[in-house]
Amino acid sequence: MSTCSVSKGCFVFKPSAKKRRLSDKTAHDFRCTSNDSEDTELRFVTCQSLWNQIKSETEQIQENLNKQLLDNLVSFLSRSHSDFQEKTTEWTCRMKFREIPTAALVLGVNVTDHDLTFRGLSDILQDNITPYVALLEAKDCPGIKNLMQKLMGQLMKCDINVDSLEDEDSVQVSQNRIRCSMPSLISWYDSVTKKTNSETPSKKRNSSSRHWQSPPVVVIFKDMESFTTKVLQDFIVISSQHIHELPLVLIFGIATSPMIIHRLLPHSVSSLLCIELFQSLSCKEHLSTIIDKLCIVEHFYSQPLSVLCCHLADIKKRVYSLSHDQCENIRRLPSFRRYVEKQESGKQIELLTNDSFLKEETEKLLGDLHVYHENYVRILRCLHVFTSSLPKYPLGKQIRELHCACLENRVWETEEYESSLQLARMLNKTDLVTMLQQCVEILMSSSEKEFDRAVEKLKEFLTQFQNLEAEASQEQDVSVSPQKELQKKTDLYHLQKTLLELKESRRSKKLTKFEMLRFEVVDYIDSLVRRYLAPADERALHEIAYFNGAAVLRGHLNAAPRTALHTALNSPHWYLKNQALRCDGGGISNKAPDICIVYKLHLECGRLINLVDWLEAFSTVVMAAEEPNADAASSDQVDDVIHARFIRAVSELELLGFIKPSKQKTDHVARLTWGGC
């Protein structure tokens, strides 16, 4: 915990996870203004319930994303290990050329959590395949000696977990005395595998049910790009010389590109690896769930009536528990005002003056809104089946893009929708039949009887397509084609006449039965869209259940790091929610964080900043609140503290990229940004 050399760096001591406590004021602070405090706790509980539901769905998506990847890795290990066990020709050839089975695991920069993926992989391997799994990081392996120490330390710890606890002390002693080298690792592996094979039959059955016989030693390099070239080369060369004695398998965690292997390793070293590439799947589902979470939090935070955004079974109880003020909030909703204007005069008076009548009507309208949403989702998915495979994706490739287009306006009035219909009218028979089958499955998944007629109609279309195949084989066109007539004409006059006749015949050509049926299918889908995909803002009380603050979400999602940094450093009260830090007229508060003071002072400087002048200005601002007759004996200590604070703030500013050391003058730094952002 020594921090005696402040000038050489910034020391960070993170608190342990056990000491961190969540604030008890979360529900209390879950409000926009003090006037929206009614039912805040209930809104918070509802939001938290939906949040947990989405969280579980996100974890399921993460598990599904990793499942195929991990299954492929396990299959790769199984093939490599079976070759070693059976001493097949392939393994013999690999032994001859000293090739090490290697999996290049490309996770990419968009995977949510690399550590989570590697921990899951390590757990699966240790539970089902081998107890000998080592997870190495570049920061722990600056040299080959450190790498071998870390490797053997983790492997022997695995051995302790597998074996009985009585042998723990002896294993620990042997680890301290053992020399960390590849021959030592091989002799240790031979001893533990022989010990496992010589166990009692009952123990052997228990261990074999989980692990393979003579299990492989798996070494995972979590961040391959961060390892030094020399460390990787030395380890691979040494390991390749002992591959016939030790069933070693390497897994490279790669965040960028597989080409990094060839950049880090020369051909003489990479040729010692038998590499198989594994690519992580797309993370669009994660992006969708993140957007869903942002929408939910923003909606429940900004809309007091979101207390009614709940399951259909809870609506009646919550509606009849509304207070008079909340009823007034309902009457002020624009969609409800439009609904009232369409009613007769007597009902208008009741809705605007009688809270009990309003609650009855609200329950009915919310029930209708739920039915509308259920039907909307089914038809939206059917429309997405047709539009997601069209060229250039006029209505978007993802269903969320189509959903936004349908919510913003009547989608059937847009040019993109007309373009989609034209493209759909040119689909081939195979694609059209497949799409109809998917739509039937979507509509049949609904428990309501709303779409029974639509399902029958779609099945009727499928039957007609099947009948077309039988009819097409019987039809014979005996007429001579115009193209054949063209071959008979040689003079220019007859040639021009035949071309004109061909052009006219194409214009007046009758549609085939398949084309007529295809037009009928597209028109029927169009009728379903016009009936069920009306925008939500045409429904009464849509503000309660639908979030329409797209501009707020764009502010959260569209990254503007320089603008955000400038706002945070120039106006810290904006993020810290502390009005005491606010300074009008371009002043600098001495209560602001040190980095904010240093940042504001650096904005007043030119291209080069004198560190001495900068320190004096910083000291002046910080000492502004100090009493003029403070104890002189402690002035030196205060100066040292201020100096240390200044050095730390300048280092943070350099880390953020606002300044850099200058080669022109040693006591100056160069400013890198201009314009205040």
Side-chain angles (χ1 to χ4, degrees):
M1 297 289 288
S2 175
T3 57
C4 58
S5 179
V6 179
S7 61
K8 292 184 180 180
C10 178
F11 301 87
V12 180
F13 301 101
K14 294 184 179 180
S16 62
K18 296 180 180 179
K19 296 181 180 179
R20 297 178 185 175
R21 296 181 180 178
L22 297 175
S23 173
D24 297 331
K25 299 182 179 180
T26 308
H28 181 267
D29 294 337
F30 195 76
R31 59 173 68 103
C32 289
T33 63
S34 57
N35 297 329
D36 295 336
S37 59
E38 193 169 8
D39 278 343
T40 298
E41 187 173 352
L42 184 57
R43 283 164 51 200
F44 175 74
V45 171
T46 308
C47 176
Q48 199 172 38
S49 173
L50 291 174
W51 178 280
N52 292 334
Q53 180 180 345
I54 291 182
K55 181 181 178 183
S56 63
E57 293 175 0
T58 307
E59 292 174 350
Q60 184 63 40
I61 290 172
Q62 175 73 52
E63 184 178 345
N64 294 338
L65 284 174
N66 289 337
K67 187 177 186 302
Q68 183 178 354
L69 183 66
L70 298 180
D71 289 346
N72 293 337
L73 280 170
V74 171
S75 176
F76 167 75
L77 289 172
S78 177
R79 292 196 307 271
S80 302
H81 184 261
S82 63
D83 293 339
F84 177 82
Q85 280 292 107
E86 299 169 7
K87 303 295 182 183
T88 59
T89 305
E90 183 182 352
W91 183 266
T92 305
C93 295
R94 189 180 297 170
M95 245 175 38
K96 182 179 179 181
F97 294 105
R98 299 181 300 173
E99 288 185 352
I100 306 173
T102 305
L105 179 55
V106 184
L107 295 177
V109 296
N110 292 324
V111 173
T112 52
D113 193 342
H114 287 200
D115 289 336
L116 183 63
T117 303
F118 283 118
R119 283 200 300 270
L121 173 60
S122 178
D123 292 342
I124 289 177
L125 296 179
Q126 290 181 347
D127 289 341
N128 304 308
I129 298 176
T130 173
Y132 312 127
V133 180
L135 205 57
L136 303 180
E137 295 185 68
K139 64 180 182 180
D140 300 326
C141 307
I144 186 64
K145 181 179 179 181
N146 305 96
L147 188 148
M148 292 302 300
Q149 288 177 346
K150 196 74 177 177
L151 173 61
M152 296 188 69
Q154 291 192 25
L155 292 177
M156 290 186 175
K157 185 177 180 181
C158 293
D159 181 48
I160 293 171
N161 291 334
V162 173
D163 293 340
S164 59
L165 295 177
E166 291 85 9
D167 298 330
E168 183 173 351
D169 295 333
S170 61
V171 172
Q172 185 65 36
V173 171
S174 63
Q175 179 186 347
N176 293 334
R177 294 178 180 175
I178 234 172
R179 184 184 176 189
C180 294
S181 62
M182 192 58 69
S184 302
L185 179 61
I186 294 172
S187 60
W188 167 83
Y189 179 80
D190 291 339
S191 64
V192 293
T193 52
K194 288 179 182 178
K195 181 180 177 181
T196 304
N197 294 334
S198 62
E199 285 178 348
T200 59
S202 60
K203 284 188 176 182
K204 194 171 182 179
R205 280 195 302 270
N206 293 334
S207 63
S208 62
S209 62
R210 294 175 56 225
H211 301 138
W212 297 342
Q213 186 178 6
S214 299
V217 176
V218 181
V219 182
I220 303 175
F221 295 85
K222 287 178 60 177
D223 46 351
M224 184 192 178
E225 293 95 337
S226 302
F227 278 85
T228 60
T229 303
K230 181 172 175 51
V231 171
L232 288 174
Q233 289 185 20
D234 292 346
F235 180 74
I236 292 171
V237 171
I238 295 172
S239 301
S240 66
Q241 297 172 356
H242 301 276
I243 190 63
H244 60 285
E245 302 173 285
L246 184 70
L248 188 66
V249 179
L250 305 183
I251 297 179
F252 290 154
I254 301 173
T256 53
S257 168
M259 293 303 296
I260 192 65
I261 298 176
H262 302 288
R263 293 196 194 104
L264 290 176
L265 305 175
H267 177 71
S268 59
V269 177
S270 61
S271 61
L272 300 176
L273 303 176
C274 181
I275 302 175
E276 188 166 335
L277 184 64
F278 297 89
Q279 183 77 43
S280 64
L281 301 179
S282 172
C283 294
K284 294 174 183 176
E285 291 85 354
H286 284 289
L287 179 61
S288 300
T289 52
I290 289 172
I291 294 175
D292 290 344
K293 288 183 179 182
L294 286 174
C295 291
I296 285 178
V297 173
E298 190 66 34
H299 179 65
F300 278 89
Y301 183 76
S302 59
Q303 175 57 264
L305 289 173
S306 59
V307 67
L308 299 178
C309 184
C310 56
H311 294 289
L312 189 61
D314 301 329
I315 284 181
K316 184 174 182 179
K317 178 181 179 182
R318 295 197 180 188
V319 166
Y320 283 93
S321 64
L322 294 177
S323 64
H324 175 72
D325 292 338
Q326 289 172 316
C327 291
E328 290 299 320
N329 286 337
I330 294 178
R331 294 185 176 107
R332 283 193 286 266
L333 292 176
S335 63
F336 185 77
R337 290 181 179 180
R338 293 194 297 269
Y339 174 76
V340 172
E341 291 172 358
K342 297 177 183 178
Q343 308 303 315
E344 59 182 13
S345 58
K347 190 173 182 179
Q348 288 180 355
I349 296 174
E350 288 293 321
L351 288 172
L352 297 176
T353 59
N354 189 340
D355 288 351
S356 299
F357 187 80
L358 173 67
K359 292 177 181 179
E360 293 178 4
E361 195 69 16
T362 300
E363 181 188 0
K364 175 179 173 297
L365 291 175
L366 289 177
D368 294 342
L369 192 63
H370 274 260
V371 173
Y372 157 80
H373 182 73
E374 290 293 328
N375 298 338
Y376 173 92
V377 170
R378 297 289 187 279
I379 302 302
L380 181 73
R381 292 175 60 192
C382 290
L383 180 60
H384 180 251
V385 167
F386 277 84
T387 60
S388 60
S389 59
L390 296 178
K392 296 185 178 180
Y393 312 107
L395 288 173
K397 187 177 181 180
Q398 303 298 322
I399 193 170
R400 62 172 178 270
E401 300 174 79
L402 180 61
H403 178 50
C404 291
C406 294
L407 287 181
E408 289 175 355
N409 44 42
R410 295 183 176 181
V411 69
W412 57 85
E413 296 178 354
T414 62
E415 295 180 2
E416 293 81 5
Y417 182 79
E418 290 297 328
S419 176
S420 299
L421 287 186
Q422 293 177 5
L423 293 172
R425 291 189 178 103
M426 293 187 290
L427 289 170
N428 60 56
K429 180 185 173 185
T430 304
D431 292 342
L432 203 57
V433 169
T434 303
M435 292 174 180
L436 286 176
Q437 290 172 345
Q438 293 179 8
C439 290
V440 169
E441 293 176 1
I442 291 172
L443 296 181
M444 289 183 66
S445 64
S446 175
S447 58
E448 303 295 332
K449 297 182 179 180
E450 176 72 22
F451 298 111
D452 288 351
R453 178 72 186 93
V455 170
E456 292 178 4
K457 187 67 176 177
L458 295 181
K459 289 182 177 180
E460 181 182 333
F461 286 140
L462 290 173
T463 303
Q464 292 179 16
F465 277 118
Q466 293 175 355
N467 295 336
L468 281 178
E469 292 182 359
E471 295 177 5
S473 60
Q474 299 175 0
E475 293 181 355
Q476 297 291 336
D477 188 6
V478 295
S479 62
V480 180
S481 65
Q483 284 80 1
K484 292 184 179 180
E485 289 292 331
L486 280 174
Q487 298 174 1
K488 300 178 182 180
K489 311 298 180 183
T490 55
D491 58 284
L492 182 62
Y493 171 76
H494 287 92
L495 182 63
Q496 289 178 341
K497 183 180 179 181
T498 306
L499 288 173
L500 289 174
E501 291 176 355
L502 178 61
K503 183 177 180 181
E504 191 66 27
S505 65
R506 285 177 177 174
R507 288 181 178 177
S508 59
K509 180 183 177 182
K510 291 185 178 180
L511 296 175
T512 64
K513 291 185 178 181
F514 166 71
E515 291 172 336
M516 294 175 62
L517 183 57
R518 180 171 58 187
F519 272 64
E520 190 176 349
V521 169
V522 175
D523 290 342
Y524 184 73
I525 296 297
D526 178 47
S527 66
L528 293 178
V529 169
R530 294 172 183 268
R531 179 178 178 183
Y532 292 103
L533 292 190
D537 57 12
E538 296 182 3
R539 313 289 302 189
L541 304 183
H542 71 87
E543 296 92 342
I544 294 176
Y546 284 86
F547 175 74
N548 57 1
V552 179
L553 277 188
R554 291 191 185 100
H556 291 315
L557 296 174
N558 295 340
R562 290 189 62 184
T563 304
L565 280 174
H566 174 72
T567 304
L569 297 176
N570 196 50
S571 306
H573 67 278
W574 181 264
Y575 286 106
L576 299 179
K577 306 300 181 185
N578 186 356
Q579 293 301 320
L581 303 178
R582 185 167 187 169
C583 287
D584 298 326
I588 303 177
S589 172
N590 62 332
K591 298 179 182 179
D594 294 342
I595 189 174
C596 298
I597 299 174
V598 169
Y599 176 78
K600 284 191 173 184
L601 291 173
H602 115 284
L603 293 178
E604 302 172 359
C605 301
R607 187 175 65 86
L608 293 177
I609 306 175
N610 189 313
L611 286 172
V612 177
D613 297 339
W614 201 4
L615 173 60
E616 291 180 358
F618 175 78
S619 179
T620 301
V621 174
V622 172
M623 297 292 291
E626 296 289 336
E627 297 182 5
N629 55 353
D631 188 4
S634 62
S635 60
D636 294 338
Q637 181 64 27
V638 171
D639 290 342
D640 290 341
V641 173
I642 292 177
H643 192 187
R645 289 166 57 184
F646 174 76
I647 291 173
R648 181 178 62 182
V650 171
S651 300
E652 292 171 349
L653 214 59
E654 181 181 356
L655 180 64
L656 292 174
F658 289 101
I659 59 173
K660 71 174 183 179
S662 174
K663 295 182 180 180
Q664 298 178 5
K665 298 181 180 180
T666 56
D667 58 344
H668 285 63
V669 292
R671 182 177 172 185
L672 299 177
T673 59
W674 305 92
C677 65

